[in-house]
Amino acid sequence: MENIETRNIDDEYLRLRIKRKKIGLIVAMSITLVIALAIIIMSCVNINLKPHFIKEADEITIVTDQITSGSIHLNSQSENYTDFVEAYNSSFSINTLTALFSGNFGNYTIDETANEFIETSSSLSSRLGANYVKLYYNAPQTLYRKDGSAYEYSKFFTQNKITYDTVYFAFSDENGVQEVTFYFAVEGNLTSLNGTKRKSVTTIKVNANTYPIFENLENYK
């Protein structure tokens, strides 16, 4: 009788052990499936890392050593304006998986300085290199934080609002995600000199692959 009871207990224990293993295997497979699906989805879905408040510019200048004239000027009526905008937007659109491993999901910090922004060709070239884009706006623009709130804090003077009308960023001849710095020519941090307003530089850094802009230069050669 004892042997029968012992066998029953052993069989029940074995049955429960096998059941637990099956449940554990199913849970592990489910988790693996969810992770695999998440990776597949992230590799297919793109996010745009360009600061959301940077609108399409009224005028665009592309400065480059790749063409004889050295620069290209565009506006909404220009023949190649749409081509540039598409290349520009695609530069900041990268898949979610790449964004995850690069540690950037569109987060950015506004670095406000009181350094004067000299917009001469030599000064810009030394700061941005041989290939860069200038975005110009007819009306003053406001900087916004990532959360959508207007950036109004100034740590240098009593004025609590700064605006910009020009943005610069460099583009690369290498096809790959790199750190890109937006340089904003802002007003409000520096006092006027001889009646002339002075602009200072404020920056935002994001990740992007700006090679499509370089590749698009073929349209202007």
Side-chain angles (χ1 to χ4, degrees):
M1 186 69 177
E2 290 181 1
N3 291 337
I4 294 174
E5 288 180 354
T6 302
R7 283 199 301 271
N8 288 339
I9 293 172
D10 290 342
D11 291 344
E12 181 66 17
Y13 174 76
L14 182 61
R15 186 182 67 79
L16 290 173
R17 188 175 179 183
I18 293 173
K19 184 178 180 181
R20 289 194 186 106
K21 282 186 176 181
K22 286 182 178 179
I23 293 173
L25 182 60
I26 291 171
V27 170
M29 290 177 64
S30 299
I31 293 173
T32 302
L33 179 61
V34 169
I35 294 173
L37 287 173
I39 291 174
I40 292 171
I41 292 172
M42 286 191 293
S43 65
C44 295
V45 176
N46 285 1
I47 59 173
N48 196 310
L49 300 182
K50 180 171 66 69
H52 60 88
F53 63 86
I54 301 180
K55 303 175 183 177
E56 290 189 8
D58 296 301
E59 296 179 29
I60 298 165
T61 301
I62 307 168
V63 177
T64 177
D65 60 1
Q66 298 297 306
I67 61 174
T68 305
S69 63
S71 63
I72 305 149
H73 301 278
L74 302 171
N75 57 40
S76 58
Q77 281 73 49
S78 301
E79 180 181 356
N80 294 314
Y81 178 83
T82 301
D83 291 335
F84 170 80
V85 171
E86 289 178 356
Y88 166 58
N89 287 332
S90 67
S91 294
F92 297 92
S93 179
I94 66 176
N95 70 65
T96 309
L97 192 61
T98 301
L100 175 65
F101 284 105
S102 65
N104 192 315
F105 274 98
N107 295 319
Y108 58 80
T109 300
I110 298 174
D111 184 15
E112 182 186 355
T113 79
N115 300 324
E116 187 171 5
F117 199 163
I118 307 298
E119 296 180 84
T120 61
S121 296
S122 58
S123 178
L124 291 170
S125 295
S126 64
R127 186 189 294 272
L128 296 160
N131 300 299
Y132 61 87
V133 173
K134 173 186 177 181
L135 306 175
Y136 176 77
Y137 300 88
N138 293 330
Q141 305 290 303
T142 302
L143 284 92
Y144 287 86
R145 295 182 176 88
K146 175 60 181 174
D147 62 8
S149 61
Y151 185 83
E152 297 184 344
Y153 171 73
S154 176
K155 56 187 177 183
F156 300 105
F157 294 95
T158 56
Q159 192 166 345
N160 65 355
K161 187 174 183 179
I162 60 174
T163 60
Y164 67 92
D165 60 9
T166 311
V167 185
Y168 295 89
F169 69 92
F171 61 91
S172 176
D173 60 355
E174 296 181 9
N175 192 0
V177 176
Q178 303 176 26
E179 186 176 75
V180 174
T181 301
F182 283 100
Y183 295 87
F184 297 83
V186 305
E187 294 182 356
N189 282 337
L190 295 179
T191 56
S192 300
L193 186 64
N194 298 325
T196 302
K197 287 185 177 181
R198 292 189 297 163
K199 297 177 181 179
S200 61
V201 58
T202 289
T203 63
I204 289 176
K205 294 181 179 181
V206 299
N207 285 351
N209 178 7
T210 55
Y211 182 73
I213 297 176
F214 181 85
E215 195 174 32
N216 191 54
L217 294 176
E218 293 293 329
N219 294 335
Y220 310 104
K221 292 182 179 179

